Amino acid sequence: MPDGRTVLNISIRDALKGDVDTIAEFNARLAQETEGSMLDPGVVKAGVLAVVENPTRGRYWVAEADGRIVGQIQTTFEWSDWRNGMLWWIQSVYVHPDFRRRGIYSTLYRHVESLASRQPDVCGIRLYVERDNEPAQQTYSALGMSMTDYRVMERLFNGEN
């Protein structure tokens, strides 16, 4: 386990099929930590694999330190007719607890921001954040993101409320 003084050599790369188990595990941990939800591991793994195999659904990037995946970020896409451009939605952000508060999320975010800003059809980056998650909101603000006036509403069709 690294200590708080250790400087990490972090590399960011596109997720590969061989990363699916780790990403699915991180997604399950994310749901448990943020919402107290227990996800079906088979459904999560299939969902991650569907993205890795078909980049029109989204993209995952992983952060590695010493050859170990220590964090992840996913983007999905939404066409904005108001802006005549694509919005990249950041989702499935997770940093392993042993590696938090070490700049890994910021490195992942800057990677995505850099890629998005170089695409002529991309007009912005968005994410949703838990209403009470002040530390995350502060991190996102420090990276240049701003709070909107919108709230997310949903209707799920898989039996969840």
Side-chain angles (χ1 to χ4, degrees):
M1 177 186 317
D3 64 28
R5 297 177 302 272
T6 305
V7 176
L8 295 176
N9 183 15
I10 302 167
S11 62
I12 308 297
R13 64 170 175 79
D14 284 287
L16 305 170
K17 269 188 171 181
D19 303 324
V20 168
D21 287 338
T22 300
I23 294 169
E25 175 192 338
F26 282 7
N27 282 343
R29 288 179 175 207
L30 173 65
Q32 176 62 39
E33 289 177 23
T34 60
E35 300 176 9
S37 299
M38 299 298 293
L39 301 180
D40 179 323
V43 170
V44 175
K45 184 175 178 177
V48 171
L49 183 61
V51 171
V52 172
E53 290 184 331
N54 184 349
T56 63
R57 290 188 169 133
R59 285 180 75 181
Y60 278 101
W61 291 270
V62 295
E64 287 185 319
D66 299 323
R68 175 183 174 191
I69 296 175
V70 297
Q72 70 184 39
I73 193 169
Q74 178 196 26
T75 57
T76 57
F77 315 111
E78 173 190 353
W79 181 257
S80 173
D81 54 344
W82 288 11
R83 293 170 183 82
N84 189 31
M86 193 70 71
L87 289 161
W88 284 15
W89 280 86
I90 292 174
Q91 300 187 70
S92 299
V93 171
Y94 190 80
V95 175
H96 190 281
D98 293 347
F99 295 88
R100 291 181 183 162
R101 309 304 305 166
R102 312 274 301 281
I104 292 170
Y105 173 73
S106 297
T107 302
L108 284 161
Y109 175 84
R110 292 292 186 212
H111 180 78
V112 168
E113 178 185 52
S114 175
L115 292 173
S117 68
R118 292 191 309 245
Q119 300 294 318
D121 69 333
V122 176
C123 59
I125 298 173
R126 286 185 173 161
L127 57 77
Y128 52 88
V129 60
E130 291 281 331
R131 180 177 25 251
D132 299 326
N133 191 342
E134 291 293 329
Q137 292 173 34
Q138 290 170 2
T139 296
Y140 303 146
S141 291
L143 290 167
M145 299 190 87
S146 57
M147 192 65 70
T148 70
D149 292 330
Y150 291 95
R151 291 185 179 227
V152 175
M153 298 179 72
E154 67 182 10
R155 169 69 171 97
L156 300 176
F157 297 113
N158 61 358
E160 297 178 26
N161 291 325

